Amino acid sequence: MRVIQWSTGNVGRHALAGIAARPDLELAGVWVSSEAKAGKDAGELAGLGRPLGVSVTTDADALIALKPDCVLYTAMADDRLVEAVEDLKRFLRAGINVVSSSPVFLQYPEGVVPPEMIEPIREAACEGGASLWVNGIDPGFANDWLPLVLTGVCERIDEVRCMEILDYSTYDQGKVLFDIMGFGREMDDLPLLLQPGVLSLAWGSVVRQLAAGLDVELDSVEEVYERLPAPETFEIASGTIKEGTAAALRFEVRGMRGGRAVCVLEHVTRLRGDLGPDWPQPSGQGCYRVQVTGEPNYVLDLRLVGTDGDHNTAGLKATAMRLVNAIPAVVAAPPGLLTALDLPLVTGRGLVSP
């Protein structure tokens, strides 16, 4: 299958390596937004130490004209939702299937955003006879198939809680950390992520998809958060965190039924391991945790470590490979906006070395 990689940032460069690793995928082209990258070999941007024989380009029209089987879209959408949605519709209308890491609410949009935001996407998919699937590690595998598989060994389920417990100090993405999540900003300065309704827009899809997978109808979705200040000034990969500014964040998006939470997405994000000592602690350097309360009770930890020893590298790689490995299933699926509930269990088939 011929695949075009769209962007080569934190996730995109890992996606390039993943495409190169699969014998059933061919890298047909790569789009970048930077003229400084244009003309370089994709293998260089992927950090593979070898050429892939594909030069990257800023010419979107030329890449779409190649009519690939799929576009793997990893361009940031947090601060450009309208533009990202227009990109996706353009691919679909051209008859190109898409796997994407954003916008995240599209992983399961029912009840999250108004139908008028979704119908144009479905219409574009119908017009082009193509499919779109948005996923990753979170929102994605850590809170769709991972918890749903675990519930298959339950007698009774009272609550399903999906948690991300990570230290983000090595995550080198200043726009996300400072501008969107509000780290390093004054405690009374409310960032984009914590504006009313944004948490539910980003992760409401998680709790609603879990509920749908369990055949549970939610009454409502609620959000809560707590922040902690830096006890002194310190450095992280993306810059300086000054004393007294935001340095740790804990939030929950709760799917409610009958006055209690039944499906919960919780994030515990620190910029230093000693912050919030009474908050949930990770397994290993960092983990995704599924807690099922019921009969019996389960706790399942998915620990992340990249080959470079860093857990954040592993998270980026997991997001990329969730998309790469799903390409054959998405290409084979009927046209439309797909969710994890629509696809077969996605595996790393064909990746075991002989």
Side-chain angles (χ1 to χ4, degrees):
M1 297 179 184
R2 298 169 64 247
V3 181
I4 286 176
Q5 172 59 38
W6 211 268
S7 89
T8 57
N10 279 339
V11 175
R13 58 191 177 90
H14 293 294
L16 277 174
I19 293 168
R22 285 194 65 124
D24 56 346
L25 301 180
E26 174 191 343
L27 184 64
V30 181
W31 180 86
V32 292
S33 60
S34 168
E35 290 292 347
K37 291 182 179 180
K40 292 186 177 181
D41 186 88
E44 178 184 350
L45 297 183
L48 294 178
R50 61 182 175 87
L52 292 178
V54 176
S55 296
V56 308
T57 180
T58 58
D59 190 341
D61 292 336
L63 291 176
I64 292 173
L66 294 175
K67 296 290 186 180
D69 296 291
C70 190
V71 163
L72 202 163
Y73 188 85
T74 56
M76 180 178 287
D78 294 354
D79 59 348
R80 48 181 295 278
L81 285 178
V82 174
E83 294 90 340
V85 169
E86 288 302 315
D87 286 343
L88 300 179
K89 290 192 295 185
R90 184 183 183 192
F91 302 142
L92 294 171
R93 281 194 295 265
I96 303 171
N97 299 285
V98 187
V99 294
S100 176
S101 58
S102 60
V104 293
F105 64 83
L106 288 177
Q107 76 142 359
Y108 192 86
E110 303 300 331
V112 179
V113 293
E116 55 265 28
M117 290 185 63
I118 305 304
E119 284 312 309
I121 299 172
R122 290 198 170 104
E123 290 171 3
C126 182
E127 179 182 340
S131 293
L132 166 64
W133 190 62
V134 176
N135 213 264
I137 185 67
D138 182 346
F141 175 76
N143 33 61
D144 55 42
W145 273 114
L146 189 65
L148 288 174
V149 168
L150 185 58
T151 64
V153 286
C154 291
E155 175 187 312
R156 187 189 79 251
I157 300 170
D158 298 326
E159 179 189 278
V160 178
R161 179 176 293 262
C162 301
M163 306 172 69
E164 178 188 88
I165 312 174
L166 292 178
D167 181 330
Y168 271 32
S169 61
T170 61
Y171 180 45
D172 193 5
Q173 177 38 282
K175 178 177 283 292
V176 171
L177 291 179
F178 300 137
D179 298 341
I180 295 172
M181 300 185 74
F183 289 120
R185 290 167 59 166
E186 298 299 327
M187 294 292 288
D188 59 357
D189 185 356
L190 206 61
L192 174 62
L193 185 66
L194 302 181
Q195 297 292 329
V198 174
L199 288 173
S200 295
L201 176 64
W203 284 277
S205 59
V206 167
V207 298
R208 291 187 182 279
Q209 183 167 245
L210 278 175
L214 297 171
D215 197 24
V216 172
E217 186 173 344
L218 299 178
D219 299 327
S220 63
V221 173
E222 301 177 355
E223 57 186 55
V224 295
Y225 68 86
E226 179 182 1
R227 305 164 85 193
L228 295 177
E232 65 266 338
T233 298
F234 61 93
E235 299 293 325
I236 62 172
S238 292
T240 301
I241 305 299
K242 294 183 179 179
E243 179 180 354
T245 64
L249 170 65
R250 181 181 183 182
F251 68 77
E252 294 183 9
V253 179
R254 302 167 177 166
M256 307 296 292
R257 179 178 172 85
R260 65 181 181 86
V262 293
C263 298
V264 181
L265 183 284
E266 178 179 359
H267 275 207
V268 179
T269 308
R270 300 175 171 91
L271 297 185
R272 220 169 65 179
D274 62 337
L275 300 174
D278 56 331
W279 290 359
Q281 298 293 330
S283 171
Q285 296 180 25
C287 72
Y288 288 98
R289 178 171 296 160
V290 177
Q291 293 182 184
V292 179
T293 304
E295 180 56 47
N297 298 305
Y298 293 108
V299 177
L300 175 65
D301 279 357
L302 177 66
R303 295 173 59 177
L304 295 85
V305 183
T307 53
D308 62 356
D310 184 61
H311 55 285
N312 282 311
T313 300
L316 295 169
K317 179 70 74 174
T319 292
M321 294 313 303
R322 176 70 160 158
L323 299 173
V324 170
N325 292 332
I327 288 173
V330 172
V331 171
L337 177 56
L338 307 174
T339 75
L341 303 180
D342 298 317
L343 294 183
L345 186 62
V346 173
T347 71
R349 182 178 176 185
L351 295 182
V352 178
S353 300

